[in-house]
Each structure stands twice: as structure tokens, then as C-alpha cells.
Amino acid sequence: MGITRREIGYIPLTAMRQGSLNIASSALRQRDELLRQLDVVESAVAALVEGKLAPGQRDEAKRAAAVIAGDAARRGMPTASAHARQIELDLQRGSPSLARMHRLSELVLEIRRDFERQPESVAGGSGVGIPAADVLLVGGERLATADLERQLGSHGLRVVVARSPDDIALRLNGVIAVVDLTSSLAEEFMANLGERHDVVIGVAADAGLDARVAFLERGGRILLPADLAPHETAGAVLSMHERLREDTTHVLIVDDDPQLLEHTSGLLRAHDVKVTTLDHAGRFWQTLEARRPDVLLLDLDMPGADALKLCRALRADARWSQLPVLFLTARRDADSVRALFAAGGDDYVNKPVVEEELVQRIRNRLARMRLLRDLTDRDSLTGVVNRRKAVEELARLEQLAGQYRQPLVLAMLDVDHLKHVNDSHGHDAGDEVLRRLGRRLSSEFRGECVVGRWGGEEFLIGMYGTPRQVAVDRLRRLLDDWKRERFEDRSGSQFGASFTAGVAEMPVNASSLEELHSAADLALSRAKAAGRGRLESAPERGSGRAV
């Protein structure tokens, strides 16, 4: 058996491409399937009330309720999802009371009414269901290729292809949109970008400086040249997806019980958790490498696999030694509990799974893991990454910039006269200047950017895919705003602050990360010599003049 593609909301690419390959028709089929599942539940509940429920019918209805719960949660219908979960639980408990049977009938009716009352939740603005997606491909033959879809799908990303104005009218907020800027759909999509929250990657024959600046000004994120191979375009999308996923909790569940997988996935997805499931351990390590989850839920009693041995192997691997592992188990005896902790487990969740317990235990483990990670990677005063992590992230951006022919801009910032602030207003006031600047830089530079504290009063900003001209304009606006900031010391005296910055771009000013840092540092020194509170761009290589 291969890896189970039961990640909640997953839509196989083959299903998307049936018939005319139109998003609307695919979504309608999905909604029809959802209603069919509801019919299964409704028939079972009616049979239960009449005392004619067969054992097989009960099991089928439980599976259908689990599917409804997961799909309703994904479509932004928490009430319908909760009703379906309640039906599933009641069907698991055996024969409910007469009053409970009638309540089940009411819950089914309320779910159906939710579908009818809220078509926009299941259906987007046009009354057509929205397929779950990670990537939206907008127009153009160079994007609508099986090769590109296969590249993205092989990494678990769900792809939707937009081929008409109706398709791009769907609000697929939160996905990465890849737009062929030569296509007839591109202009309409970009014109309405202000109404969306998509991260947009453009593909254009002209990916020069002027085109990049214009694209960023319209709200795009990265502009790729059109002659990139599909695997290179896919790589750029995967890199962006990796950065975005840092704000998303991802859980891998390994259990041989399909009903538990469906039920637990639905519970977690209702709390905005991304879920991947495996119904056996045969491809565990491959899935772990591909998904890199934040938390692992591992069945203690899984046929054909020794879960305790698997956990010990995780702890022996430096890459996964800190991964939170929660065991799923029906056992409650002391020996079993001691064994799972001895194997390296962090916690356990009893079966049947209770929503509140599961969510809270995951949150506790994540909070501990993130605290440890922040202690390792972040500067405690400013909240930005520390020097070691900044170097690591810049090396990653350098590799991406070379691979996808993107600019990489480095800015070195120095808080002006911090020693004078400390001497005149106290070190607490100086710390507040650094702390507030760190928050401001983190807020201003997101996505494919690195913001780090280089040491003392010096900060570093790495901007991938951003032309130098755009970076300088952003920094100048930030500097103007920063000069208007007011600070207050313990005596109530107010004062202002400023910073000086040097900016360099690769490959214009440098051919390596080391050269880039030297160029930005030299530009910073020149800006300080010119009077501080200003920006200076590095000269072109060999020209001796600033650009």
C-alpha cells in the first residue's frame, strides 16, 4: 500500500481534470457527494428511530458523518461540522434514548438547512463550491501543464487551474496564485487583487527591473522569467509555501483506524490545523520528510508496526529529536504509560478522542517547542532572529536568488547614537528603542524576507525577489515614519530616534553573499560619514559610483 492521500480537503488532480476541467463542475460534484453522504446519515437516523438500523448501516453512517464534519469545517461551516461530529459520536455510543434519536433527526435537518442557507460558505460568490487548494494557476498554456501540476502534487500541494473569468472570481483566499501575465485572465485577476489575500507569483517574458517594480507595486510578491522549466517554477512555489507554512500548525496522524483518522482530522481542522494522515507505517519516514509536521500523533497499538520502537528511532535522529510525539491509545494501565514515556513520547491522548483534550495537549506541546525554538533562534530583546539564524536564512535566500534569477537585497541598519540615548535617558529607554524598531521591522518586512539583529544596535534585512529601488523606497518611508516616533524615559522626558542604512543588491553590487554583506556595510559607513539618519546604496561593482 502507498501513502494514504486522506489529508482533509485533498482533491486528486485526476478528479479536477475530468470533463471540461472547469472548477465549477468539479466543485458541484463535490457538493453532490457531500449531500449524498448526508442522505446516508439521514437514512440511518430514520432507521434508528424506527428500530430497523442494521449494523452495517450504522458503520456507513458514522463514516459519512465523519466526512461531512471534515468537509464542513474546511468550507467554513463550524456549526454543520459540530452537528456532524455529534451525530458520529452518538452513533458510536450504541442505542440512544428516544429523545436523543429525535435530536439526531433535528441535527441532520439543521445540517441540510446550513447548506441551503449559506451557499457562499460552501459555494463562493457564484453559488459554486470552492475546491480546497494550496496553489491557483491562472491562465496560460505555460502554467496549465500536467508536468507543473505533477511537480506540485508530488509535494502534497493541492492545485486548481483557473481558465475563465468565473474561475478567478472564486475567493480562494490564503492560497498561492501563480499568474501567467501574458494570459487574457491576468489583467482581470491583478485588477481585483486588492480584494484578495492571495500570495501572487507572476510569470512573464519580461522579468527585468522595471517589470519587477511594476509587479510589486500592483501587489505581487515575486516575478519569475517565463523560460523557467516547470520544476523550477514549482520550486519557487514550494519555497514560498514553506515560508507561509511557518504560521500554520501541521499534524501528522498515524493510525490504522480510518474512522479515527477522519474524526480526529475533522476535530483538528476545525481549529485551523493542517492534517496529514497515514493508515499504516509503511511510508512513515518518507511522509515525515515530505511533510515535516509540527506534531506527530502515533497509534500505540498499530498492526505490523512497533510504535515504541518507531518513537525511539525518532529520538535518535537529530532532525526529529525535538518533534512533539503524542501517542493515541486505549490503554490506561501504568505500565503502558511508563513505556510510552520511556520511549521518548511527550504525552498521550486516550481513545476515543475528546476534542478539548486533544486540542489542549497539542497546544501545550507546541507552546513548549516554540519556546525552545525561539530561545535558540531569536533575539530575546527585539524578537527578530539572532545573528546565527540570520546567516542561515540569508544562505537559503542566496540559493533561491541564484536558482530563480531573482534579486537579493541586503540592508544593514544602525540605530543612531544609541550610546547617547543610554547615557541621557537610561538603558531601559535604549532597550525600548531597539525593541520597538525590531517590532517595526518585523511588521514591515514579511514573506520572503529575513529580519535579524546583527549585534548591538545593528540590524540586518534580507529581501528576496525585491529590486533595490523598491527596497530603498520602503526603507526611506520607514525611516521618515521612524523619525516621528516618540519615546519616553522614566523621568517623563520625551526624545526621538533615527537610524542609518546601507543597501546593496545581488547581482548588481555583489556576486556572493559575503560580497553583498561587505557592499551593504560599506554603504552604511558612507551614510554615517555623510551625517547619519539617511540611506546609502552601494556602488555598482567596478564603477565606484552609487546606484
Side-chain angles (χ1 to χ4, degrees):
M1 291 177 63
I3 181 171
T4 302
R5 303 306 295 272
R6 198 181 279 117
E7 179 178 11
I8 298 302
Y10 181 81
I11 304 168
L13 293 179
T14 53
M16 291 181 187
R17 302 188 67 83
Q18 289 176 355
S20 64
L21 300 177
N22 183 276
I23 290 177
S25 61
S26 175
L28 284 173
R29 287 194 298 273
Q30 289 178 339
R31 188 180 183 187
D32 288 344
E33 175 59 22
L34 196 61
L35 291 173
R36 190 188 70 78
Q37 298 285 357
L38 187 59
D39 289 340
V40 170
V41 174
E42 189 169 29
S43 297
V45 170
L48 182 65
V49 172
E50 296 172 3
K52 300 178 181 178
L53 183 65
Q57 190 177 13
R58 180 190 293 272
D59 291 340
E60 186 181 10
K62 285 191 296 184
R63 288 192 293 270
V67 170
I68 293 170
D71 280 1
R74 176 168 57 82
R75 287 168 166 78
M77 302 176 68
T79 302
S81 178
H83 289 342
R85 287 201 302 271
Q86 187 59 59
I87 292 171
E88 180 191 5
L89 290 173
D90 282 350
L91 289 173
Q92 287 175 347
R93 289 170 182 160
S95 299
S97 65
L98 184 60
R100 195 67 215 163
M101 291 180 191
H102 287 298
R103 179 54 183 157
L104 287 176
S105 299
E106 292 173 359
L107 291 176
V108 171
L109 183 59
E110 288 177 20
I111 292 173
R112 196 175 292 280
R113 284 174 177 167
D114 278 349
F115 290 156
E116 295 171 354
R117 250 196 330 259
Q118 301 178 359
E120 68 279 2
S121 298
V122 203
S126 61
V128 177
I130 300 178
D134 296 304
V135 180
L136 175 66
L137 303 180
V138 180
E141 291 303 318
R142 64 169 58 97
L143 293 182
T145 65
D147 195 14
L148 178 57
E149 291 186 45
R150 185 171 58 254
Q151 291 281 344
L152 296 171
S154 68
H155 288 82
L157 298 188
R158 296 156 293 183
V159 181
V160 168
V161 180
R163 292 182 172 82
S164 73
D166 288 341
D167 293 345
I168 66 170
L170 296 176
R171 290 297 179 258
L172 294 167
N173 295 333
V175 307
I176 298 173
V178 185
V179 184
D180 178 2
L181 296 178
T182 65
S183 73
S184 58
L185 292 178
E187 186 58 37
E188 184 170 350
F189 183 87
M190 297 299 294
N192 295 314
L193 196 57
E195 302 174 11
R196 301 170 180 267
H197 302 289
D198 302 301
V199 174
V200 180
I201 297 176
V203 177
D206 177 12
L209 176 60
D210 291 342
R212 292 181 193 274
V213 172
F215 183 66
L216 267 63
E217 288 177 345
R218 298 189 69 181
R221 185 70 66 86
I222 297 173
L223 185 62
L224 299 175
D227 59 353
L228 286 181
H231 76 272
E232 293 177 307
T233 302
V237 174
L238 290 166
S239 174
M240 179 63 73
H241 183 262
E242 179 64 23
R243 295 287 290 180
L244 295 176
R245 78 179 293 276
E246 292 179 1
D247 296 327
T248 303
T249 299
H250 187 181
V251 174
L252 172 61
I253 310 174
V254 185
D255 198 294
D256 66 304
D257 183 349
Q259 294 183 35
L260 181 140
L261 291 176
E262 296 287 3
H263 173 64
T264 307
S265 298
L267 295 181
L268 293 176
R269 290 193 59 260
H271 290 270
D272 297 323
V273 175
K274 185 175 182 179
V275 180
T276 300
T277 64
L278 271 176
D279 61 3
H280 67 106
R283 290 182 60 86
F284 172 76
W285 293 103
Q286 296 94 319
T287 307
L288 195 67
E289 292 282 356
R291 298 293 186 165
R292 286 185 288 165
D294 300 299
V295 177
L296 171 64
L297 297 183
L298 186 59
D299 182 15
L300 184 60
D301 300 296
M302 196 161 35
D306 186 334
L308 297 179
K309 184 177 181 181
L310 197 61
C311 187
R312 285 192 289 270
L314 278 171
R315 294 302 180 231
D317 189 325
R319 294 170 301 168
W320 309 112
S321 60
Q322 299 300 316
L323 175 67
V325 179
L326 280 67
F327 282 95
L328 298 169
T329 178
R331 302 190 206 176
R332 289 171 171 80
D333 60 284
D335 288 342
S336 295
V337 172
R338 279 195 295 268
L340 65 87
F341 281 121
D346 293 283
D347 207 341
Y348 65 96
V349 178
N350 285 318
K351 297 179 181 180
V353 174
V354 177
E355 179 176 3
E356 293 77 9
E357 178 188 8
L358 175 67
V359 172
Q360 190 56 53
R361 287 177 185 266
I362 288 176
R363 283 175 176 166
N364 290 343
R365 288 298 126 192
L366 283 174
R368 178 177 177 275
M369 181 189 68
R370 285 168 178 161
L371 175 61
L372 292 173
R373 187 169 59 195
D374 284 350
L375 289 174
T376 304
D377 295 341
R378 294 196 174 274
D379 175 62
S380 59
L381 176 63
T382 63
V384 302
V385 299
N386 56 29
R387 182 167 181 154
R388 178 196 59 78
K389 185 64 174 178
V391 169
E392 180 183 312
E393 288 293 294
L394 283 173
R396 185 182 66 84
L397 294 185
E398 179 190 25
Q399 182 179 14
L400 290 175
Q403 186 174 1
Y404 302 114
R405 289 174 270 170
Q406 296 292 306
L408 175 59
V409 171
L410 182 65
M412 301 298 298
L413 274 68
D414 195 284
V415 177
D416 294 327
H417 309 298
L418 185 64
K419 184 178 185 303
H420 173 73
V421 172
N422 289 332
D423 292 343
S424 302
H425 302 281
H427 285 273
D428 288 345
D431 286 350
E432 178 59 23
V433 172
L434 293 172
R435 186 180 298 110
R436 201 183 300 182
L437 181 58
R439 287 199 302 264
R440 190 67 184 274
L441 293 176
S442 296
S443 174
E444 178 71 23
F445 298 96
R446 294 177 174 271
E448 288 287 307
C449 294
V450 175
V451 178
R453 188 177 180 189
W454 200 243
E457 63 268 33
E458 198 167 31
F459 291 82
L460 166 153
I461 306 169
M463 291 166 269
Y464 166 72
T466 303
R468 179 197 51 81
Q469 176 185 332
V470 175
V472 168
D473 289 344
R474 290 175 68 182
L475 284 166
R476 282 195 175 126
R477 288 194 297 269
L478 177 62
L479 177 57
D480 290 341
D481 287 344
W482 183 249
K483 287 178 178 178
R484 291 191 286 269
E485 287 273 337
R486 308 310 298 168
F487 300 87
E488 190 173 291
D489 62 21
R490 288 185 175 180
S491 69
S493 298
Q494 290 195 344
F495 64 97
S498 66
F499 64 77
T500 303
V503 182
E505 177 188 345
M506 191 168 73
V508 176
N509 308 121
S511 60
S512 68
L513 194 56
E514 184 178 358
E515 288 183 7
L516 186 66
H517 181 265
S518 296
D521 213 31
L522 180 58
L524 174 61
S525 298
R526 290 179 175 176
K528 288 180 180 179
R532 292 183 178 266
R534 55 183 290 140
L535 274 70
E536 184 83 22
S537 291
E540 291 185 36
R541 284 183 290 170
S543 71
R545 62 182 180 83
V547 293

